[in-house]
Amino acid sequence: METQVMERHLDSVDKVKVAQKRKGCFQECLGCEASTEFDFYKGTEKEKFAHAKEDSSFCCRLCLAPNHAFKMTVAEEGTKEDILSVDRPFVCCASCSCCCFRSMSMSSGGKKIGNIEEKCYFCVPRFEINDADGKAVYKMHQPTCCGGMCVNCCAEGNPCGRGCCKAPFHVFPADMKDTDNGAEPSGKILKVKKSIGAEIFTDADVFEVDFPKDATTEQKGLVMGSAIFLNAIFFEGQGDQAA
């Protein structure tokens, strides 16, 4: 059962923004692997409701990123109460699409609410979001074309125009059979375009998370936590691998 603080912030919202904080100028220039930090905002509001900072060793970030183990707690602004905690274990050979799958468990108030895990795939990475009992709740992958064999780079518009530097991940019900070739998602995690300076000189990413309409508070927490997971495996350490 979710904590009251999670319910207070996620129960009545259908969208949140997850903004990674920029590192210091010297850290960016020298390529130092500082701990990742995020600020969380409700919908399009500018009021911050939570903050999170990665808990991991410098050596692991330097030598094993983006596959290093880390923990992170999304804490309520002001009270520092636990909204969501994530635990991502180290995975060796994480580039293989048929074994060594990446995953991240999530909890709230010390109670497990579920996890996200990578599934066997060909060409387009695919993920499954599960509840505390291990039951699949959602499927997630980037929009596809060509029978699900390729990422649809035009899903958010012309990649040389409106869709430039955007990377969408669509969320579907777990029991939905065909989620490829333009299938309508029930939710979405979108890495949005930043300013030119931020895009070129920093790795600070911003995600807009649209929750499925029928999602419970815990399910919203799982989808929000999935944005942290996607940032870790696609947009940290080796640059933007997802397009």
Side-chain angles (χ1 to χ4, degrees):
M1 185 174 182
E2 71 274 6
T3 61
Q4 291 183 346
V5 66
M6 174 184 277
E7 187 176 67
R8 181 161 66 242
H9 290 291
L10 299 184
D11 186 55
S12 60
V13 300
D14 56 12
K15 183 175 185 176
V16 297
K17 182 172 72 172
V18 182
Q20 186 178 10
K21 297 190 69 174
R22 297 181 183 179
K23 302 171 186 175
C25 294
F26 289 109
Q27 290 175 319
E28 293 284 1
C29 293
L30 296 176
C32 295
E33 289 299 327
S35 298
T36 299
E37 295 184 55
F38 293 99
D39 289 329
F40 296 77
Y41 304 84
K42 294 180 183 179
T44 56
E45 297 178 15
K46 294 183 179 180
E47 182 180 356
K48 182 171 66 172
F49 74 89
H51 174 79
K53 183 176 181 179
E54 174 185 353
D55 180 12
S56 64
S57 72
F58 172 77
C59 290
C60 286
R61 294 194 302 273
L62 181 66
C63 302
L64 302 175
N67 302 321
H68 65 291
F70 69 84
K71 295 182 180 179
M72 186 180 291
T73 297
V74 180
E76 183 180 36
E77 188 73 5
T79 68
K80 306 302 181 183
E81 289 189 67
D82 176 10
I83 298 177
L84 179 73
S85 293
V86 305
D87 186 352
R88 183 268 177 90
F90 167 73
V91 176
C92 184
C93 303
S95 60
C96 180
S97 62
C98 60
C99 64
C100 300
F101 299 124
R102 295 168 284 193
S103 65
M104 186 177 76
S105 60
M106 291 174 259
S107 61
S108 181
K111 295 183 178 180
K112 182 178 179 179
I113 62 172
N115 75 311
I116 177 171
E117 58 183 7
E118 190 175 29
K119 308 302 290 184
C120 184
Y121 67 88
F122 184 69
C123 296
V124 180
R126 295 172 186 266
F127 306 91
E128 188 173 84
I129 300 174
N130 307 304
D131 64 16
D133 297 321
K135 181 181 178 181
V137 181
Y138 298 114
K139 299 175 182 177
M140 182 173 67
H141 59 77
Q142 290 189 273
T144 64
C145 58
C146 302
M149 299 294 290
C150 301
V151 173
N152 183 359
C153 298
C154 299
E156 293 295 322
N158 187 336
C160 295
R162 184 170 60 87
C164 178
C165 299
K166 292 183 179 180
F169 292 82
H170 288 178
V171 179
F172 303 92
D175 59 358
M176 186 171 174
K177 294 183 179 181
D178 186 8
T179 59
D180 292 306
N181 302 310
E184 186 67 24
S186 59
K188 180 170 67 173
I189 299 175
L190 175 66
K191 176 187 172 292
V192 299
K193 182 179 179 180
K194 301 172 290 186
S195 66
I196 295 178
E199 197 72 53
I200 296 176
F201 298 110
T202 78
D203 62 358
D205 297 306
V206 178
F207 299 87
E208 292 179 353
V209 182
D210 290 285
F211 299 123
K213 291 183 179 180
D214 59 347
T216 65
T217 302
E218 287 188 355
Q219 290 168 353
K220 289 179 180 179
L222 290 170
V223 175
M224 183 176 76
S226 296
I228 298 174
F229 178 74
L230 293 175
N231 179 75
I233 65 175
F234 288 120
F235 306 109
E236 287 288 327
Q238 297 179 357
D240 293 2
Q241 298 176 11

